[in-house]
Amino acid sequence: MTLVTDTAVKALLDTTTTTQVRPRYEGSNICTWIGFKHVNYLVEEAVLDHFRQAGLPARALYEEHGLGLDIVSIDSRILHAFHMDDIADAEVVPWTKEDDSTIGFKVTIQFERGGEIHKAVTSKVRVSLRIDTYLEAAGEVPAPLTRFAVATLGDDLEREAGATAPAEEEILASLTAGQNAYAWKWNIPYPYCHFTERIQMSGYLRLMEEGKDRFVADRGISIKTLLDDRRWIPVVPRSDIRILDEALMEEDLYTVYTVEEVFKDFTYTSRMDFYVLRDGKLVKTATGRIVHGYAVIENRRDWSLVNFDQRVIDAINGKAPQA
């Protein structure tokens, strides 16, 4: 039996921890570099291990106390690229104020390469403890964790009233009207969910990656197109995502990828918004941003950043290619 003591919660909220992390093989899609999604997975693993080291592992919180550990926001900057087989040290520094209703952390990940220590990732993370209502009640929430326990993800937010939705076949058109945007409808499958019912943070990270893939394909500059034409690959120096409400298994999720800003000819920022349709209204369940650039593959080990050319700029801005 895991005891939720004041001492354990104090360690969770006050004690810095470190752990070793290694990116998964799956995240190496282009040569041996690791994509932003799997970099964020490393941040997630560091936070989960921080709970373990405090004596409050996610499994015990759920099985014994009916509390689902949910990462509800993650804001990451990638400063150096990870490669396959890199081993890194992740430092987790608690970052929770007395009046916060979520548990906060600042995560720094660094690795050694060529005799030098590189700060690879900095991230800010927030965690909620979701009271399980799918199975029978687990009893009272342990007193030291009460302020972080929520009946629904996003309960710490002042929710806006959902907008009345148009006819279902018109929803995607309404969400992109007048915007430089791409949207699609998707039914949430169980592999994207956890705790039996709701999409988890890693699911949203997968959708952020898919949003980029769908957007550039729709604009005629798909990932493979630019790889084959010029050996260009997308790179992500920053991403953030925040859960605002719950999206449930087998609900239809409407995802909107909107280009907000093109910075000179070097990076562009897109916002991603996620909605479900409930009782005739669109409910926003998450929102985030992702910054993209491009790099050219120089060899099997190295790449370097490049400036956008006119073809890419026009595609991002939704302009027809010039003759």
Side-chain angles (χ1 to χ4, degrees), residues 130 133-134 151-153 186-190 192-200 204 243 245-253 275-278 283 285:
R130 165 62 154 82
T133 52
Y134 190 84
T152 305
L153 298 183
W186 175 77
N187 191 261
I188 302 171
Y190 89 89
Y192 282 67
C193 301
H194 70 174
F195 298 120
T196 318
E197 56 181 351
R198 62 188 174 274
I199 193 168
Q200 59 177 302
Y204 280 116
I243 293 176
D245 206 324
E246 295 182 357
L248 305 180
M249 189 186 303
E250 296 189 2
E251 280 193 303
D252 287 332
L253 191 71
Y275 302 85
V276 295
L277 183 62
R278 292 192 187 127
V283 177
T285 62

Side-chain angles (χ1 to χ4, degrees), residues 142-316:
L145 295 176
T146 301
R147 68 180 170 118
F148 306 118
V150 297
T152 305
L153 298 183
D155 272 0
D156 61 314
L157 305 170
E158 292 186 13
R159 289 193 178 91
E160 297 179 5
T164 300
E168 190 162 349
E169 64 273 12
E170 298 173 354
I171 290 176
L172 293 179
S174 72
L175 289 171
T176 57
Q179 303 291 320
N180 180 10
Y182 173 87
W184 79 97
K185 173 184 170 183
W186 175 77
N187 191 261
I188 302 171
Y190 89 89
Y192 282 67
C193 301
H194 70 174
F195 298 120
T196 318
E197 56 181 351
R198 62 188 174 274
I199 193 168
Q200 59 177 302
M201 177 56 76
S202 64
Y204 280 116
L205 291 170
R206 290 161 75 178
L207 288 168
M208 292 186 84
E209 187 173 57
E210 183 176 351
K212 161 72 175 190
D213 187 70
R214 284 174 173 264
F215 172 76
V216 294
D218 182 70
R219 297 298 174 89
I221 54 168
S222 74
I223 305 297
K224 181 168 172 54
T225 295
L226 293 192
L227 275 171
D228 290 349
D229 285 357
R230 58 189 78 175
R231 292 187 177 177
W232 280 19
I233 59 170
V235 293
V236 177
R238 184 172 184 180
S239 66
D240 69 85
I241 181 75
R242 185 181 188 190
I243 293 176
L244 308 174
D245 206 324
E246 295 182 357
L248 305 180
M249 189 186 303
E250 296 189 2
E251 280 193 303
D252 287 332
L253 191 71
Y254 296 85
T255 302
V256 187
Y257 181 103
T258 305
V259 176
E260 288 192 321
E261 178 189 25
V262 179
F263 180 71
K264 298 182 178 178
D265 58 355
F266 201 59
T267 62
Y268 70 99
T269 301
S270 295
R271 188 181 74 251
M272 292 194 70
D273 297 306
F274 304 86
Y275 302 85
V276 295
L277 183 62
R278 292 192 187 127
D279 301 323
K281 295 183 181 295
L282 283 172
V283 177
K284 186 183 289 190
T285 62
T287 188
R289 285 177 172 80
I290 186 166
V291 179
H292 276 289
Y294 278 99
V296 62
I297 298 173
E298 296 179 347
N299 52 55
R300 291 187 180 88
R301 180 176 298 177
D302 302 310
W303 54 263
S304 57
L305 295 172
V306 294
N307 297 84
F308 304 155
D309 62 13
Q310 197 61 47
R311 175 190 177 190
V312 169
I313 292 173
D314 287 346
I316 294 169

Side-chain angles (χ1 to χ4, degrees), residues 37-235:
K37 176 184 68 179
H38 277 261
V39 172
N40 278 309
Y41 288 178
L42 298 181
V43 174
E44 179 183 68
E45 179 54 38
V47 170
L48 291 173
D49 197 61
H50 180 84
F51 274 81
R52 293 186 197 105
Q53 292 190 47
L56 300 169
R59 176 182 174 181
L61 287 173
Y62 180 75
E63 291 182 351
E64 299 173 15
H65 302 288
L67 296 173
L69 194 164
D70 273 275
I71 292 179
V72 291
S73 73
I74 183 167
D75 182 345
S76 298
R77 295 177 183 269
I78 301 175
L79 310 174
H80 286 277
F82 275 93
H83 287 245
M84 181 194 304
D85 294 330
D86 276 337
I87 298 177
D89 292 315
E91 179 185 70
V92 179
V93 179
W95 181 49
T96 306
K97 298 177 183 177
E98 289 188 5
D99 58 349
D100 283 348
S101 57
T102 55
I103 307 169
F105 303 101
K106 294 182 179 180
V107 181
T108 302
I109 304 178
Q110 58 186 23
F111 56 74
E112 184 272 332
R113 184 176 294 148
E116 277 188 76
I117 300 297
H118 297 280
K119 182 186 289 186
V121 184
T122 60
S123 187
K124 296 177 181 178
V125 180
R126 308 298 304 188
V127 171
S128 284
L129 301 177
R130 165 62 154 82
I131 301 169
D132 183 50
T133 52
Y134 190 84
L135 299 172
E136 65 278 0
E140 293 294 322
V141 175
L145 295 176
T146 301
R147 68 180 170 118
F148 306 118
V150 297
T152 305
L153 298 183
D155 272 0
D156 61 314
L157 305 170
E158 292 186 13
R159 289 193 178 91
E160 297 179 5
T164 300
E168 190 162 349
E169 64 273 12
E170 298 173 354
I171 290 176
L172 293 179
S174 72
L175 289 171
T176 57
Q179 303 291 320
N180 180 10
Y182 173 87
W184 79 97
K185 173 184 170 183
W186 175 77
N187 191 261
I188 302 171
Y190 89 89
Y192 282 67
C193 301
H194 70 174
F195 298 120
T196 318
E197 56 181 351
R198 62 188 174 274
I199 193 168
Q200 59 177 302
M201 177 56 76
S202 64
Y204 280 116
L205 291 170
R206 290 161 75 178
L207 288 168
M208 292 186 84
E209 187 173 57
E210 183 176 351
K212 161 72 175 190
D213 187 70
R214 284 174 173 264
F215 172 76
V216 294
D218 182 70
R219 297 298 174 89
I221 54 168
S222 74
I223 305 297
K224 181 168 172 54
T225 295
L226 293 192
L227 275 171
D228 290 349
D229 285 357
R230 58 189 78 175
R231 292 187 177 177
W232 280 19
I233 59 170
V235 293

